[in-house]
Amino acid sequence: MSQRHQAIKDAALIAVLTSILFVQQLALSFMPNVQFTTLLLVLYAKVIGFKKTSLIVVIHVMAVNILSPFGPVLPIQIPAMLIGWFLVPFLLTTIFRKFNSAWSLAIFGFFFGFVYCWMYIPASVFILDIPFLTYLYADIVFELIFAVSNFLTILWLYEPLKKLLIEQKSRYDIISYQPKI
Amino acid sequence: MKGIALRIVVSIIIVISTVLLVNTLTEHNHAEENGQVRIIIVDENDITVFDDNISFEKGDDFFDVLNRSFDLTCATSSYQPDTTCSYSFDNLAYNGKVLLGISNSEFNILTNWSDSFLAFEVYDEPDFYLSTQGVSNIEFKDGDQIRIVVKSVLGGLS
């Protein structure tokens, strides 16, 4: 396959995976902090690698802030959102690259839930002037729900979704990146 | 099979623990006796448009107290204004109304959630402090002072 054809297929793949990420987040937005975003980013990072997943994160953050019917997050919090989601592919391809089982990734997702929420603290406290302890106290329930949601979705859905995505990859020869299985 | 059983057990334990923990952390405050609370309302120009005591009855939550004395505008599930206040958020993390506007015959305040909102501040000697609870769950008792202030989202809270 030529590089050009591969690039077109990669672009299509990134568009499809980003759409899935965006739609599920919107579909589940009636339940605060219950979503499959962490699960999907973990899956993408493990199957299609760091570069493509990072690109998906960038497009997803843009799409959420431009197209969401609930409106964008505050502009000063967009970097926190971007860095927060970017941490998934970054950590899973560096420090935690040996995390491959559903259990280890579920535990990663649990702690990531708290870390992601804490990414919003600097802007909220130093720019929006929200008292730190008030913010932390008001947010802790949402952090906990996000962490548990990540844990359960990864624990139950990571392996079947990974199998599915790898099957599609083999079938259509879409992805050049070869994951370690 | 053993792996699946372990997953089921761990998942059940985690879900039950989370529900219990969230219920413990989520406050549902109702008045324990009849009384009065001082309400101060400050508009977007920092002008105090209301400063008076209003009465409450045993079993009221703070939304009930305001609803009895003012015309309120609440948020729908998509944060659109609703003067009937018929929608209540009802999920694991937050139960209650989201207040967008408050008015009477002398003033009219309406926020839109994305650019402006109503901040609830509870007096605790020597100052007012931002409430950690929404309008339906704010803790109050006879003699308390609660300030409702219009805030710009980008303007910070202080």
Side-chain angles (χ1 to χ4, degrees):
Chain A
M1 188 186 302
S2 72
Q3 272 192 330
R4 191 176 167 191
H5 281 120
Q6 186 62 51
I8 291 168
K9 286 190 171 184
D10 284 351
L13 174 78
I14 287 167
V16 169
L17 296 183
T18 309
S19 304
I20 293 168
L21 199 60
F22 178 70
V23 168
Q24 64 79 30
Q25 185 157 333
L26 247 59
L28 293 171
S29 56
F30 66 96
M31 291 186 286
N33 285 13
V34 176
Q35 49 184 286
F36 295 152
T37 309
T38 309
L39 162 72
L40 290 173
L41 288 178
V42 166
L43 180 72
Y44 296 168
K46 283 291 172 188
V47 177
I48 66 170
F50 173 77
K51 282 184 186 173
K52 291 189 185 80
T53 308
S54 300
L55 196 54
I56 287 171
V57 166
V58 173
I59 300 168
H60 174 67
V61 169
M62 285 168 62
V64 163
N65 284 287
I66 294 169
L67 301 173
S68 170
F70 299 101
V73 298
L74 295 178
I76 53 164
Q77 286 178 332
I78 291 175
M81 190 184 207
L82 190 62
I83 295 167
W85 289 132
F86 178 75
L87 279 177
V88 175
F90 176 73
L91 292 174
L92 288 180
T93 51
T94 54
I95 303 167
F96 302 117
R97 65 183 179 281
K98 289 184 178 172
F99 282 21
N100 287 312
S101 71
W103 279 101
S104 59
L105 291 169
I107 292 166
F108 166 84
F110 181 83
F111 288 106
F112 171 77
F114 291 96
V115 172
Y116 177 81
C117 294
W118 294 338
M119 299 301 293
Y120 290 85
I121 289 178
S124 302
V125 171
F126 295 116
I127 300 174
L128 295 178
D129 235 357
I130 301 172
F132 174 70
L133 287 177
T134 304
Y135 181 91
L136 204 60
Y137 184 77
D139 201 43
I140 191 74
V141 169
F142 296 95
E143 292 173 11
L144 187 64
I145 290 170
F146 188 41
V148 170
S149 161
N150 288 347
F151 180 85
L152 292 177
T153 54
I154 294 171
L155 185 64
W156 284 98
L157 299 175
Y158 173 73
E159 282 172 354
L161 287 177
K162 183 181 175 186
K163 193 178 167 190
L164 184 74
L165 193 56
I166 289 173
E167 273 176 12
Q168 295 303 313
K169 165 196 166 291
S170 307
R171 196 167 164 190
Y172 298 106
D173 190 28
I174 286 174
I175 313 162
S176 53
Y177 175 81
Q178 291 296 322
K180 289 176 185 173
I181 305 172
Chain B
M1 200 63 197
K2 194 179 171 185
I4 297 276
L6 183 62
R7 281 185 198 194
I8 291 171
V9 170
V10 170
S11 299
I12 290 171
I13 290 170
I14 284 186
V15 168
I16 291 172
S17 307
T18 305
V19 170
L20 291 176
L21 201 55
V22 168
N23 273 332
T24 307
L25 292 170
T26 306
E27 295 178 27
H28 302 284
N29 291 306
H30 296 267
E32 292 176 357
E33 55 188 13
N34 296 351
Q36 286 197 323
V37 60
R38 182 185 172 198
I39 301 292
I40 303 163
I41 301 175
V42 181
D43 71 7
E44 62 274 20
N45 301 313
D46 279 339
I47 296 168
T48 300
V49 293
F50 184 89
D51 185 348
D52 206 349
N53 290 323
I54 61 175
S55 301
F56 61 83
E57 295 170 8
K58 185 179 177 182
D60 281 350
D61 64 29
F62 189 63
F63 175 82
D64 298 329
V65 179
L66 294 179
N67 201 26
R68 198 173 292 124
S69 302
F70 301 99
D71 296 321
L72 304 179
T73 302
C74 300
T76 62
S77 59
S78 56
Y79 291 90
Q80 297 305 304
D82 170 30
T83 52
T84 66
C85 281
S86 55
Y87 182 77
S88 275
F89 289 82
D90 183 20
N91 53 56
L92 191 60
Y94 180 68
N95 292 289
K97 311 280 185 186
V98 168
L99 199 61
L100 294 180
I102 184 166
S103 63
N104 65 11
S105 56
E106 295 170 358
F107 70 91
N108 185 10
I109 288 173
L110 185 63
T111 60
N112 65 7
W113 190 253
S114 53
D115 299 321
S116 57
F117 64 98
L118 295 175
F120 295 87
E121 299 173 339
V122 181
Y123 187 76
D124 186 9
E125 186 79 28
D127 205 353
F128 283 92
Y129 294 93
L130 186 67
S131 169
T132 56
Q133 299 294 324
V135 64
S136 298
N137 297 315
I138 293 175
E139 185 178 4
F140 64 99
K141 60 182 185 304
D142 187 40
D144 277 357
Q145 300 178 45
I146 296 177
R147 188 164 68 183
I148 303 168
V149 189
V150 177
K151 293 288 186 184
S152 158
V153 172
L154 288 173
L157 286 160
S158 65

